[in-house]
Amino acid sequence: MLRPAQLLLMLGLPLISPAAIPPVDETQVNDLLARMTQAEKIGQLSQGVINTPEEVAAASLLVREGRRGSFILSASAEQAATFRNQLQKVALEQSRLRVPLIFGYDAIHGYRTTFPIPLGLAAAWDAALVERAQAVSARETRAAGIDWTFAPMCDLARDPRWGRVAETFGEDPYLGARLAAASVRGFQGDNPAAPDRVAATLKHYVGYSATVGGRDYNATDVTPFSLRNAHLPAFQAGVAAGALSVMSGFNATDGIPAVADHHALTNILRGEWGFNGFVVSDWTSVEEAIAWGYAADRAAAARLALTAGNDMEMVSTTFEETLPAQLARGDLSPALLDEAVRRVLRGKLRAGVFAQPYTDPAALDRVALAPDALATAREAAARSIVLLKNNGTLPLAATARRIALIGPLADDAGEMLGTWPGHGRPGDVVTLAAALRQRLPASTRLDVEFGCELLETGPRTRALTDGSIVSDPAAEVDAAKAKKRWSSALAAARRADVIIAAVGEPRGWSGENASRAELDLTGRQSGLLAALAATGKPLVVVVFSGRPLVLTNVAAQSQALLQAWHPGLQGGPALAALLYGDQEPTGRLPISFPRANGQVPIYYNHAMTGRPTMVDYRDLTRAPLFPFGFGLGYTEFTYGAAEISTPPDGPAVARTIITNTGKRPGQTVAQFYVRDVACSVGARPVQELRGWETLTLAPGESRTVSFPLDSAALGFTDRQGRWLVEPGDFQVWIAPHAGTGTPLPYRLEKAL
Ligand code: GLC
């Protein structure tokens, strides 16, 4: 079994020193517990929500009676600290035992300084950058009066129909594990109670992303082997990095809701990994065990969740309503209740709410949007953007005298924030249009035109490729406006030397409860692109989305194509710098891009098949349009043939020489993949990422990269949670992405 420290070493992450998560005074915990009534104990396991002053008033009654121990503090950035202090004052001055409250919130990719969505952050392939970004997020979140963020999301993205792929680190367990652990370190630092840190939450435990049909909240298909080797690694890495909490998921695997999954929550999380934090349910997911058909009633739902190892109930109130009678009847052990309360009290002590129960309401204004925060957001945005195609049109030449920036996302600040934007504000966003206006040479003219809406403007309105609009009378006004907008855009395109199209999907079609059956540009954008391409002018397309869209036609029609995700406050300046070559595009895809909706789900680390040459469709290849790890820059690299050397005193090493054969300095991400050709426990994926190294090389410069063929590289987890490395044949790659390179055979003579 891979112990936490061993896992962190495998992930190349700093070990959490024993002192990293301050030890807890168990005497204080047990003394408090001993003085609690049963109702007060249950109160510590019950979490409410606070948005408005009215809710503060109502919550105060519950807090005074010791019936709530925690709140989700979703109130505005201006009010959050005040509401916190008001409720905390009730807890500390009016409740019987004066146990401070802990406040949580979804600071997923920033609180006031909004970073790219996590899927975009993952495209930077840079754990240190993710750690720095989440440290900024922690600083602002704590200053707002929140002790605990419900992040990082550790779910593995395999189906882009699922809107929540936006919140993940993509389709690879190793990349996801490294970035999850880095996020925990960014949020918590060496002491989550520090005034610029918050407690982290590993969510949604576990398997939520394997949702059938890509439809949110649906049943999930997770095999025991994929549970261990695909879905659990990021959670295990987060536990090893010292995360204080875990959130169970909305999903159900094998008919067992995650909130009541004893094997996952107790046997694995606590038994195998030694997790000593606390588990919170997702929103009302405890009572949803009834709808799943697993719990017969509210009492059963509460009992099954608590017994499984889910300590705190978010929003629903089955614990408060049903546990007293169940305890009185002996249907539930009081010791179970006590242990759940101990975990929550330890979490509160570690998150600092006993030492610092109140927040200075002026603190957020002092730290929000600090220069270093915006600089980090700018760096993260630039590193997140992936250049998918370029026929030489980019970087834009200073000689381009007239540029037409066209599309509904050219100048829409709100859309750049993405899903779960925290308290990011459109007013703080620099859009692509604004950034180009600042960046353009004085001699260059910029025309900005929307061309069309992100979504259909009216009932039954649709655009033919000649721009004519077919609509019913009810939409006449829209159609007239739409026709004018369309023709104005095409006129600008015809005048331009270069067209930059800013298209994509609405941020509201990304994230939770935002699954899509067709992964296409929304509304009339495809028609707009076709019309722009028909002008014959060089067309650069920038796609803003929270997921991979089907960009097959977009790629065919454009001379250059960039995936910008939802890039946060600084997406505009980052794009302008990349478009003009002030900076090199360096992003690499953390998720495969399909050629067609019918290919989904599609991911590189899929299982092998007994007929590997017969797996294409009748009407389409199985291969993605753009593979995992893919991304271009403004120079070219060659990867030499890999070779393996076996030193006498250590593991074999795979290495290759990489050369910048272009005319500009550039960066490449050398990716190290392995395949276990025959595994006794079950067929392993056709490729598995087990390392990467980012190289920046000058034109003509070469460098050797090497990766050890050690336990971390070759091993896997069996169904019992043991880390095994079996002798036998392997294949290894060192390549610029998962869809290229020649595998090198390697035989491991004896188990490591
Ligand atoms: C939501 C999400 C979860 C979030 C929680 C609190 O339903 O599933 O990710 O942390 O509720 O907002």
Side-chain angles (χ1 to χ4, degrees):
M1 193 171 314
L2 205 54
R3 302 311 302 169
Q6 192 184 5
L7 182 71
L8 286 178
L9 283 173
M10 164 185 156
L11 297 171
L13 288 166
L15 286 178
I16 299 289
S17 62
I21 303 296
V24 165
D25 175 357
E26 290 296 331
T27 310
Q28 184 178 0
V29 170
N30 289 319
D31 167 57
L32 257 179
L33 186 70
R35 290 188 286 138
M36 282 182 178
T37 64
Q38 185 186 91
E40 287 165 337
K41 291 176 183 176
I42 294 170
Q44 288 300 310
L45 308 184
S46 303
Q47 180 181 65
V49 194
I50 295 296
N51 284 292
T52 64
E54 293 73 23
E55 287 172 332
V56 172
S60 298
L61 301 177
L62 298 172
V63 171
R64 187 171 302 122
E65 294 166 4
R67 293 167 56 193
R68 289 296 178 276
S70 170
F71 289 92
I72 301 174
L73 190 52
S74 307
S76 69
E78 291 76 12
Q79 295 175 307
T82 302
F83 289 177
R84 172 206 177 87
N85 291 340
Q86 287 171 348
L87 282 170
Q88 200 69 288
K89 187 173 170 60
V90 173
L92 296 182
E93 297 180 8
Q94 299 176 30
S95 77
R96 195 177 71 87
L97 287 180
R98 292 162 169 57
V99 179
L101 303 165
I102 186 169
F103 293 86
Y105 180 70
D106 294 284
I108 308 297
H109 53 110
Y111 187 84
R112 284 281 284 111
T113 300
T114 310
F115 291 93
I117 55 173
L119 192 58
L121 286 173
W125 287 56
D126 186 337
L129 175 62
V130 169
E131 180 173 340
R132 283 190 286 119
Q134 298 301 26
V136 167
S137 174
R139 180 172 73 202
E140 294 183 351
T141 303
R142 176 69 82 173
I146 290 148
D147 318 287
W148 170 31
T149 181
F150 302 135
M153 191 207 212
C154 300
D155 298 290
L156 188 82
R158 293 198 141 164
D159 190 330
R161 293 173 294 183
W162 189 50
R164 303 200 77 166
V165 298
E167 305 167 56
T168 72
F169 292 123
E171 70 191 36
D172 183 75
Y174 179 81
L175 178 63
R178 289 201 60 179
L179 300 186
S183 299
V184 171
R185 288 194 58 78
F187 286 128
Q188 296 188 173
D190 284 338
N191 178 7
D196 60 351
R197 301 290 184 175
V198 289
T201 312
L202 307 174
K203 72 183 187 182
H204 305 81
Y205 188 74
V206 61
Y208 178 28
S209 60
T211 188
V212 173
R215 294 188 300 279
D216 209 354
Y217 312 125
N218 203 7
T220 42
D221 262 342
V222 180
T223 64
F225 195 74
S226 72
L227 173 68
R228 291 288 185 177
N229 292 281
H231 296 283
L232 284 175
F235 289 94
Q236 187 174 8
V239 168
L244 293 195
S245 77
V246 164
M247 181 186 295
S248 54
F250 280 129
N251 61 305
T253 295
D254 272 349
I256 299 177
V259 69
D261 185 337
H262 186 275
H263 178 61
L265 287 168
T266 294
N267 298 345
I268 296 177
L269 182 64
R270 295 194 169 104
E272 292 180 23
W273 298 350
F275 175 65
N276 66 359
F278 65 97
V279 176
V280 62
S281 78
D282 204 337
W283 196 287
T284 68
S285 65
V286 173
E287 74 180 7
E288 289 172 16
I290 302 168
W292 277 110
Y294 187 66
D297 53 30
R298 297 174 71 78
R303 183 177 66 253
L304 289 164
L306 192 63
T307 309
N310 190 98
D311 304 308
M312 188 184 284
E313 179 172 17
M314 182 187 285
V315 176
S316 52
T317 53
T318 66
F319 281 20
E320 181 178 38
E321 291 164 23
T322 72
L323 291 184
Q326 296 190 76
L327 288 157
R329 285 197 306 269
D331 295 348
L332 202 63
S333 148
L336 204 69
L337 175 71
D338 288 355
E339 189 46 35
V341 176
R342 279 194 194 90
R343 292 173 187 144
V344 170
L345 292 177
R346 289 189 197 112
K348 288 186 171 185
L349 283 164
R350 287 175 172 145
V353 296
F354 279 86
Q356 288 291 336
Y358 296 105
T359 295
D360 173 358
L364 180 60
D365 285 344
R366 285 197 297 272
V367 303
L369 304 172
D372 72 312
L374 294 176
T376 306
R378 165 78 173 66
E379 178 189 359
R383 302 279 304 282
S384 72
I385 294 163
V386 186
L387 179 61
L388 297 174
K389 177 181 180 183
N390 183 26
N391 74 342
T393 299
L394 295 179
L396 293 175
T399 51
R401 286 282 172 270
R402 195 148 192 177
I403 292 178
L405 173 61
I406 296 173
L409 293 173
D411 204 16
D412 188 326
E415 289 296 329
M416 298 299 108
L417 296 170
T419 187
W420 294 104
H423 290 284
R425 295 176 187 165
D428 296 323
V429 171
V430 182
T431 64
L432 179 54
L436 282 175
R437 288 189 189 101
Q438 289 167 3
R439 170 68 186 72
L440 284 184
S443 56
T444 301
R445 173 173 169 168
L446 177 71
D447 294 324
V448 180
E449 296 284 347
F450 290 152
C452 66
E453 300 276 336
L454 257 184
L455 296 170
E456 290 299 84
T457 49
R460 295 201 298 280
T461 55
R462 59 189 170 81
L464 306 179
T465 48
D466 67 2
S468 63
I469 303 283
V470 177
S471 71
D472 63 20
E476 266 327 299
V477 173
D478 283 353
K481 195 164 65 172
K483 190 173 179 66
K484 182 175 183 314
R485 195 162 39 212
W486 188 281
S487 51
S488 177
L490 291 196
R494 292 186 195 101
R495 293 192 301 265
D497 298 322
V498 178
I499 304 167
I500 301 173
V503 294
E505 71 173 350
R507 72 182 186 89
W509 283 33
S510 166
E512 183 176 353
N513 195 15
S515 299
R516 294 184 62 185
E518 306 218 336
L519 305 178
D520 304 319
L521 296 176
T522 55
R524 298 199 280 269
Q525 296 180 96
S526 295
L528 179 65
L529 281 188
L532 294 176
T535 65
K537 297 296 179 69
L539 175 59
V540 177
V541 179
V542 180
V543 177
F544 296 97
S545 65
R547 56 161 51 88
L549 297 180
V550 173
L551 300 178
T552 309
N553 291 337
V554 176
Q557 291 167 341
S558 55
Q559 278 64 51
L561 172 60
L562 299 107
Q563 171 65 28
W565 316 105
H566 289 123
L569 299 189
Q570 289 287 311
L575 274 163
L578 298 183
L579 290 167
Y580 269 93
D582 306 338
Q583 225 175 312
E584 169 92 8
T586 57
R588 294 293 184 269
L589 293 181
I591 191 168
S592 304
F593 273 55
R595 289 174 193 276
N597 292 303
Q599 286 184 317
V600 169
I602 182 171
Y603 44 93
Y604 90 95
N605 41 6
H606 57 79
M608 180 42 101
T609 161
R611 296 187 174 187
T613 61
M614 298 173 72
V615 288
D616 285 331
Y617 302 92
R618 284 282 181 186
D619 52 357
L620 191 63
T621 170
R622 179 200 61 195
L625 180 64
F626 299 112
F628 175 82
F630 181 81
L632 301 172
Y634 291 146
T635 189
E636 288 75 40
F637 293 90
T638 56
Y639 280 56
E643 58 183 28
I644 291 171
S645 61
T646 310
D649 56 350
V653 174
R655 61 166 54 89
T656 192
I657 295 177
I658 298 173
T659 303
N660 177 347
T661 52
K663 299 182 177 59
R664 293 172 62 110
Q667 192 176 93
T668 187
V669 179
Q671 298 157 38
F672 174 51
Y673 295 95
V674 302
R675 179 187 168 221
D676 185 351
V677 172
C679 173
S680 69
V681 173
R684 287 177 60 184
V686 293
Q687 271 183 306
E688 296 175 78
L689 179 75
R690 286 299 165 92
W692 74 86
E693 183 175 337
T694 300
L695 305 177
T696 300
L697 299 176
E701 184 183 0
S702 295
R703 198 172 307 160
T704 298
V705 292
S706 57
F707 297 96
L709 296 169
D710 57 10
S711 167
L714 303 177
F716 67 96
T717 304
D718 72 4
R719 292 175 179 81
Q720 289 70 44
R722 292 180 303 240
W723 183 259
L724 303 177
V725 184
E726 296 181 330
D729 289 328
F730 290 82
Q731 293 175 317
V732 300
W733 293 255
I734 300 175
H737 58 78
T740 188
T742 307
L744 190 62
Y746 171 67
R747 173 178 290 264
L748 181 67
E749 297 300 344
K750 60 182 178 20
L752 293 180

